[in-house]
Structures are given as structure tokens and as C-alpha cells.
Amino acid sequence: MIYLDHAATTPTAPEVQAAMEPYYNRRYGNASTVYEFGKESRQAVEHARETIAKTLGVQPCEIFFTSGGTESDNWALKATMEAYSGFGRHLITTSIEHHAIGNTCHYLKKNGYEVTELPVDRDGRVNLEQLERAIRPDTILLSIMCANNEIGTLQDMEAIGEIARRKGVLFHTDAVQAYGHIPIDVNRWNVHMLSASSHKFYGPKGCGFLYIKRGVRTESLIHGGAQESGKRAGTENVPGIVGMSVAAKRAYAHMEEEHAYETSLRDRMIGHICREIPGAVLVGSHTHRLPGNINICFQGVEASNLVLLLDEAGICVSAGSACNSASPEPSHVLRAVGLSDKQAFSCIRMTLGKDTTETELRYTLNALKHLVKVLRKG
């Protein structure tokens, strides 16, 4: 199998699995108990919190563990808007956000909040002047993703953060695709909240975190016990939290070399595809792009058919976000960057990882050349 869908999920790294294993059978104590056996789990959770905080240059008390990026996004939007509802009920987002943001915004609109959804350019980037003009006296929050999950476009986070600072509004970013893959500086970016998900950087599924800058008021999203400083109830997923912290430490230790490696592979693959397959067009920014992301529109080809034929050839790619793979509608992201419905249905996404090889990409390129030709002949 050739796996080229790392934006959907990544394999759990061996050292991550090894670190998690004791907390399933030998150190299985509940981290909220007071006896010594449970305290071992509590110590592991707090050590993990410190590890992740260091990767962002923040305080451990500003890291809150969740079940993943979707929960973190929901918490950041719902709980923050509720906490500040006495000051305003308006938030700003973009037309290319993940459904964890988009559908949460729909929920908020049904409950009396106002949402401005900003358009993006052909590369998928926000117009900064338009963003600044959209901020009103009752605007509480900006929620703009750092890196898009479908087309890999990176936003100008420092410039967006400066606008938020100057206008006195809170800034949340969905960094699920970015954390562990590109350098993040929440202080320089003026980010107040950041969402991340473990399984996107070689950690376990079902675990994530939300960074909340000290002083930012948020209500609880999940009510119950007093876990996570009383802000997020529920027994801690100790194995997942431990595994996520090891994955985070591994990702930041190897980020520079993996970023360079994946970028080099990406650029060569894009070049070969666009030169050797007529009617192949890159979607998204050429320069402001995640290192492993390749999104290509093959004119005259149904992407769903191409994905299935590639699967038969042992190659895993996607026709968009894994979270929306069952939808009959074209990708909202591809529509937002100006593609017609027909063009949107012709795009596939290949996302590379640290273990992707040139041999695998050569095989994939040859398969693409053959299958695109077959599908165009009908």
C-alpha cells in the first residue's frame, strides 16, 4: 500500500505506541483519584501538559486536553461567544474553514449570534483589508484556520493577529493541519486560542488540545466533574494524552528536516504531474502551502472514479476532506477558491508524510498518467 492521505490521519509512531502501552494495563489508575496509584496517572497527564506547552512557548495551565480538533473548535467558538455575549454577539470566520468551524457557526446563528464569513482569493487566502473592515464594535472573535485541510493554503497569521490586537478582538485558529508540521508562534501571532488534534502528527486518535491564553474567558463545553481545572469534565484519556505529548515532542524535534523533505517531494511531484499530464492544474497557493499537500484538478475526470482506481492500484488518496467524504455536494473549499462544481468534482488530494518515498511517488505518477488517460477515454 502507498499511503498518500496524511491530512486525513497519520500512523501512530512506534515510540508513541510504546509510551502509551503501560497506561492501558500497568498504570491504569484514574488521574482524578487521590491515592498513589492514581497519582501516577495524574503526574503523566501534567508532564504531558508541560511538554505540549513548551512546543508553543506557553504556560502549562493554558493547555486543556480534549477528544480532538472538533471538540476544541466547538469549545473555542461556543463557549467563548457565550462568555462574552454581554459585550457582543458577532464573530468572523472564512469560507474555507473545516466543518468543525462551519457547522458550529451555523449552530451559533440559530441561537442568536451573527457570523460574517469572509471570502478568499484563488489561492485560498483572506484579504486583510476586507477582514479589518468586517470587524464591528460588537465583534468578539475571529476564527481563521492556520492551514487549510484540503488545499494546504497557509494564512498570514502574524498580519491577522496584528489586526485582532489593534481592533481588540479575540483570535482563534484551527491549527489541526499545522501543529507539528510548521513553526507556530502564538505570541507573535497574537493567538488567544488554538486547536490541535493528535492523530494529525503521528499520535493516537481521539485526543487533542485547546490552547486558551490566560485571561480569556470561556464557559465549559462539557459539564460534569472538575477535570481540566473545572473547564472540561470527563475522566482523562491518560494513554491518549501521554501518546499525544510524545508525538508532539517527536514532531518538534524533527520538524525542520521533515518540512524540508516533504516540501522537496511535494514540489517535484507537482512539477511532474503538471508537465506530464495534460489538463492537470494545481489548486491553492504555490508558495504559502503546507509541506506535504498536493491538490490537483484533472480536467475531464471524475475524482471519485480516479480515487477508486488508484485504490485498486494500492494507492490511498482522497477527493477532499475525510470528514466530508460521504457528501454528494462539491467541496465548499474548492467552490470558495473559484472552481466550478464540475472542476471541484475533478480534484484529488495527495498528502505526503515523513515516510513517503520518491519510489512511491514515481509509481503514483505513472498510475495517474495511465488512469487519467483511461478515464478521459470513457
Side-chain angles (χ1 to χ4, degrees), residues 25-183:
N25 48 38
R26 298 195 305 278
R27 301 175 185 170
Y28 54 82
N30 189 316
S32 296
T33 54
V34 297
Y35 43 78
E36 197 61 34
F37 187 48
K39 286 181 180 179
E40 289 183 5
S41 294
R42 168 55 53 196
Q43 290 168 357
V45 168
E46 296 312 317
H47 178 70
R49 201 185 310 276
E50 292 172 6
T51 299
I52 290 172
K54 285 179 182 177
T55 67
L56 292 174
V58 301
Q59 297 299 311
C61 64
E62 297 175 308
I63 300 297
F64 297 89
F65 296 123
T66 68
S67 63
T70 294
E71 182 190 332
S72 296
D73 285 345
N74 273 259
W75 186 1
L77 269 60
K78 292 178 183 176
T80 304
M81 292 306 294
E82 182 180 352
Y84 287 88
S85 59
F87 300 92
R89 301 176 72 85
H90 178 237
L91 71 93
I92 297 171
T93 187
T94 79
S95 57
I96 62 167
E97 299 295 314
H98 189 276
H99 287 294
I101 295 293
N103 287 338
T104 302
C105 286
H106 291 318
Y107 167 86
L108 288 169
K109 284 193 284 187
K110 289 180 182 177
N111 286 272
Y113 294 89
E114 292 186 67
V115 178
T116 296
E117 187 179 276
L118 295 174
V120 293
D121 62 19
R122 297 282 303 189
D123 286 346
R125 303 194 96 199
V126 173
N127 182 295
L128 298 174
E129 293 180 1
Q130 192 172 25
L131 168 61
E132 188 156 6
R133 288 196 303 269
I135 297 174
R136 311 181 329 203
D138 62 339
T139 303
I140 298 300
L141 177 66
L142 309 181
S143 183
I144 299 175
M145 69 193 325
C146 175
N148 185 263
N149 52 304
E150 291 192 38
I151 61 174
T153 295
L154 303 173
Q155 300 294 339
D156 188 342
M157 297 298 289
E158 189 168 359
I160 294 170
E162 173 56 25
I163 291 171
R165 185 197 64 77
R166 194 165 62 248
K167 292 289 188 174
V169 297
L170 299 174
F171 180 22
H172 163 257
T173 188
D174 177 338
V176 167
Q177 293 292 331
Y179 180 85
H181 299 285
I182 64 170

Side-chain angles (χ1 to χ4, degrees), residues 207-277:
C207 195
F209 70 85
L210 178 65
Y211 157 70
I212 306 175
K213 186 174 183 177
R214 187 183 297 182
V216 173
R217 288 164 32 193
T218 61
E219 300 294 338
S220 296
L221 180 67
I222 298 176
H223 300 90
Q227 292 91 350
E228 295 303 290
S229 301
K231 287 185 176 290
R232 197 272 187 184
T235 301
E236 295 91 342
N237 174 9
V238 179
I241 290 168
V242 169
M244 178 168 62
S245 71
V246 173
K249 188 174 182 179
R250 191 217 67 81
Y252 276 79
H254 299 283
M255 182 181 293
E256 187 174 347
E257 64 193 71
E258 289 178 4
H259 187 288
Y261 177 70
E262 291 173 21
T263 300
S264 177
L265 285 181
R266 178 202 71 190
D267 289 346
R268 291 201 296 276
M269 186 65 168
I270 290 171
H272 283 299
I273 291 173
C274 292
R275 285 193 304 269
E276 299 176 33
I277 302 178

